[in-house]
Amino acid sequence: MASICAMRVALIGFGTVGQSLVNVLHEKEAYLKKEYGLNIELVAVSDIMKGSVMDDDGLDKVELLKLVAETGSIGAYPKGVKGLSSVETIRRSEADVVIEVAWTNLETGEPGITHIKEALRSEKHVVTSNKGPIALAYKELMNLADENNVKLLYECTVMSGTPVISMASNGLAGNRVKAFKGILNGTTNYILTKMSEGESYGSALKEAQRLGYAEAEPSADVEGWDAVGKTVILANTLMSAGLSPNMVERKGITEVTSEDVENAEDNGGVIKLIAQAWMEEERVKAKVSPELIEFDDPLANVTGAMNALTLTTEGLGDVTIIGKGAGGVETAHGILSDLLAIHRANLG
Amino acid sequence: MASICAMRVALIGFGTVGQSLVNVLHEKEAYLKKEYGLNIELVAVSDIMKGSVMDDDGLDKVELLKLVAETGSIGAYPKGVKGLSSVETIRRSEADVVIEVAWTNLETGEPGITHIKEALRSEKHVVTSNKGPIALAYKELMNLADENNVKLLYECTVMSGTPVISMASNGLAGNRVKAFKGILNGTTNYILTKMSEGESYGSALKEAQRLGYAEAEPSADVEGWDAVGKTVILANTLMSAGLSPNMVERKGITEVTSEDVENAEDNGGVIKLIAQAWMEEERVKAKVSPELIEFDDPLANVTGAMNALTLTTEGLGDVTIIGKGAGGVETAHGILSDLLAIHRANLG
């Protein structure tokens, strides 16, 4: 590798994903320089709960991780500009890329949409794992990125770092996606797997909560809202569908009974919460619902918290990808792959 | 899309894959202009059996397909320079990209290696589906591409258009592949699937030959050589292994009996011809052999002529991709995705 390029990144959100990312970037510094000729410098971190620090000369990743682990805040970081809001950080930082990993709101998309617009308008590339902005404002944001000649990448909005978006837009470039069918929510797949092993819905949900897969208030998962958000992202980005979440037919798993699960086995399959989209009368239709998946379908073997997606393509028939759908380290690796895609595009 | 870029391609090899590609490029002309801003012009075709024609103003795709279908030759094409050898075509054509889809030789890599070297030295990008050159000379060819500031892409050498190479190098960028395990040969998977349904090896092989999956002389498939070639490609390109085919432990399926297949079921799995590589004492080891795959492994459900690959990665654990592993149209779509990757890199 002839020379080392520098990429300055600003991080908006310093929760599990943000901290995992900073740790991965630290651990892989030497590897990224050697293999990709890339030095990723962290120049700002801003989190509404944990504080904000900006230094265009670069922040010490280890020091930041230590501070937040010990004090829950980065307020005591010894250098840089402190206390800027996320929007001020995005505007004033000299970052090349803004990484938006703040919280997801599938009704308004905020504050993610505001963060991403500010970044694109100030001609900074954006990498995000935030489903809200991509589900609700994909076309507007992508146009804004094009106008400002920067990239907006969002691999981790669906199946965390498992590269479904890259597969569709790079690996399957030139090959239209006609339909898709997937298991996009790990919590419900874990619960349904436990039910197929004989547990009741209630005890499987409790176990999922104990393991941290499900929230105390589990409706975003079990009512299918999380899967709806991901379905809209896939339908809009891979099939130009122009859907909003309320246009997706939705049924969660709360009414699936142990009897349903047993009957499914007798009928040669298993019940899975399936997110799908297809063409009907030249329009894209989408649905999230419990469905019988036959034993010989690649999705039938996807158990526990794993995710999977089958794309039906024009030229290749069905292509299925199976991998993890959540997790800090997993998402951090997906964000890293997006950063490397920006680096690759810059190199030409 | 602001403007349309032109990409001139020369095609070396006009068999099933070459003809499928020309047909796909013809059918997708309007789509590629609209969605990708790209106009792919065919400026040369050279095939040792079917003749050779070169015209830097562009060849008529429909006319070429009609000629070869009707006469088995493109000799009667009404314009252009005729009768050049493949090497002369590569040297003299003004193509931006040479597409090498001539026949595979896994012992010498020729004539593919010569074609690819000529193309790279004349500063033309190369896209190939030819396993020989990539299995035997990957590093040398890639260095030559780097020296000449052009790209060498080879998605279709493994699992045809199913995007395993793109997934590993783009989607999983920054995430080391520690091991892999796959079903990379459709013919043997078809035979083993039929055996698991009760057929003998002999009758399953005959059926595979009747369907065109297996050759009259089937040893390249059933003795595991084809899978060895693909294993070397994956090990060398994804794990920097530096293997040659004779360093891969190899056992085909000719000694698998109906009894073995039955016993596998009793032991909770199915027998598959597995291509795998892993790290052992800081070196990459690789093997192709019939293995017991447990029913809950994603590879267990991969039946008939389908292929699949599980990559074990540092940051994401196992990622599995399942799709078709052969076919003219499928390979043509993989070549198209490589052409679009070159286009994307040119745009920056």
Side-chain angles (χ1 to χ4, degrees), chain A residues 28 31 36 174 314 320 322, chain B residues 28 36 174 176 314 320 322:
Chain A
K28 297 207 160 178
Y31 166 72
Y36 296 91
E314 191 179 47
T320 300
I322 303 172
Chain B
K28 295 205 162 178
Y36 297 91
R176 280 191 198 88
E314 190 180 47
T320 299
I322 303 172

Side-chain angles (χ1 to χ4, degrees), chain A residues 28 31 36 161 163 166-167 170-171 173-174 176 295 297 301 314-316 319-322 330 333 337 340 344-345 348, chain B residues 28 31 36 161 163 166-167 170-171 173-174 176 295 297 301 314-316 319-322 330 333 337 340 344-345 348:
Chain A
K28 297 207 160 178
Y31 166 72
Y36 296 91
S166 167
M167 182 176 85
N170 299 327
R176 281 191 197 89
F295 286 128
D297 189 307
N301 257 1
E314 191 179 47
L316 262 172
V319 180
T320 300
I321 183 167
I322 303 172
E330 290 79 2
H333 277 85
S337 80
L340 288 167
R344 210 163 41 237
Chain B
K28 295 205 162 178
Y31 166 72
Y36 297 91
S166 167
M167 182 175 86
N170 299 328
R176 280 191 198 88
F295 286 128
D297 190 306
N301 258 1
E314 190 180 47
L316 262 172
V319 180
T320 299
I321 183 166
I322 303 172
E330 291 78 1
H333 277 86
S337 81
L340 289 167
R344 209 161 44 237

Side-chain angles (χ1 to χ4, degrees), chain A residues 27 62 92 120-121 141 205 216 231 249 257 280 286 295 314:
Chain A
E27 285 181 347
V62 174
R92 289 177 50 181
L120 297 175
R121 283 193 191 117
L141 295 175
L205 172 60
T231 302
E249 207 182 309
T257 64
E280 196 177 300
F295 286 128
E314 191 179 47

Side-chain angles (χ1 to χ4, degrees), chain A residues 168-316:
Chain A
S169 51
N170 299 327
L172 297 173
N175 191 354
R176 281 191 197 89
V177 173
K178 298 192 299 183
F180 66 80
K181 186 174 92 169
I183 296 169
L184 302 180
N185 180 272
T187 308
T188 47
N189 202 50
Y190 177 84
I191 293 171
L192 291 172
T193 301
K194 284 285 158 192
M195 287 175 75
S196 76
E197 291 164 11
E199 285 193 32
S200 70
Y201 174 78
S203 84
L205 172 60
K206 278 211 187 79
E207 181 71 6
Q209 286 168 325
R210 197 185 63 78
L211 290 167
Y213 293 156
E215 307 283 331
E217 206 297 273
S219 61
D221 290 320
V222 297
E223 298 287 2
W225 289 111
D226 174 73
V228 163
K230 293 164 179 169
T231 302
V232 170
I233 291 171
L234 292 176
N236 290 358
T237 65
L238 309 186
M239 299 173 74
S240 307
L243 296 180
S244 57
N246 60 14
M247 293 160 77
V248 178
E249 207 182 309
R250 178 187 55 78
K251 190 175 177 191
I253 64 161
T254 53
E255 289 167 28
V256 176
T257 64
S258 297
E259 206 181 356
D260 295 335
V261 172
E262 272 171 44
N263 286 344
E265 275 188 48
D266 295 339
N267 291 320
V270 285
I271 291 182
K272 297 287 185 188
L273 184 67
I274 296 297
Q276 57 187 319
W278 65 96
M279 299 300 300
E280 196 177 300
E281 293 170 358
E282 297 188 17
R283 299 186 70 142
V284 179
K285 298 274 189 176
K287 182 164 81 161
V288 169
S289 54
E291 301 286 340
L292 178 76
I293 298 295
E294 293 184 8
F295 286 128
D296 63 356
D297 189 307
L299 300 183
N301 257 1
V302 177
T303 55
M306 291 293 271
N307 281 196
L309 178 67
T310 298
L311 300 177
T312 301
T313 69
E314 191 179 47
L316 262 172

Side-chain angles (χ1 to χ4, degrees), chain B residues 185-250:
Chain B
N185 179 272
T187 307
T188 48
N189 202 51
Y190 176 84
I191 292 171
L192 292 171
T193 301
K194 284 286 157 189
M195 288 176 75
S196 76
E197 291 164 12
E199 286 193 32
S200 69
Y201 173 78
S203 83
L205 171 59
K206 278 211 188 80
E207 181 71 7
Q209 285 168 324
R210 196 184 63 79
L211 290 167
Y213 293 158
E215 307 284 328
E217 205 297 271
S219 61
D221 290 319
V222 298
E223 298 286 1
W225 288 111
D226 174 74
V228 163
K230 293 164 179 169
T231 302
V232 169
I233 291 171
L234 292 176
N236 290 359
T237 64
L238 309 186
M239 300 173 74
S240 305
L243 296 180
S244 55
N246 59 15
M247 294 160 77
V248 178
E249 209 182 307
R250 179 187 53 81

Side-chain angles (χ1 to χ4, degrees), chain A residues 95-117:
Chain A
D96 306 299
V97 184
V98 169
I99 299 169
E100 214 281 346
V101 292
W103 67 95
T104 288
N105 180 322
L106 269 175
E107 281 168 65
T108 66
E110 294 295 353
I113 290 178
T114 298
H115 293 159
I116 293 173
K117 282 186 181 172

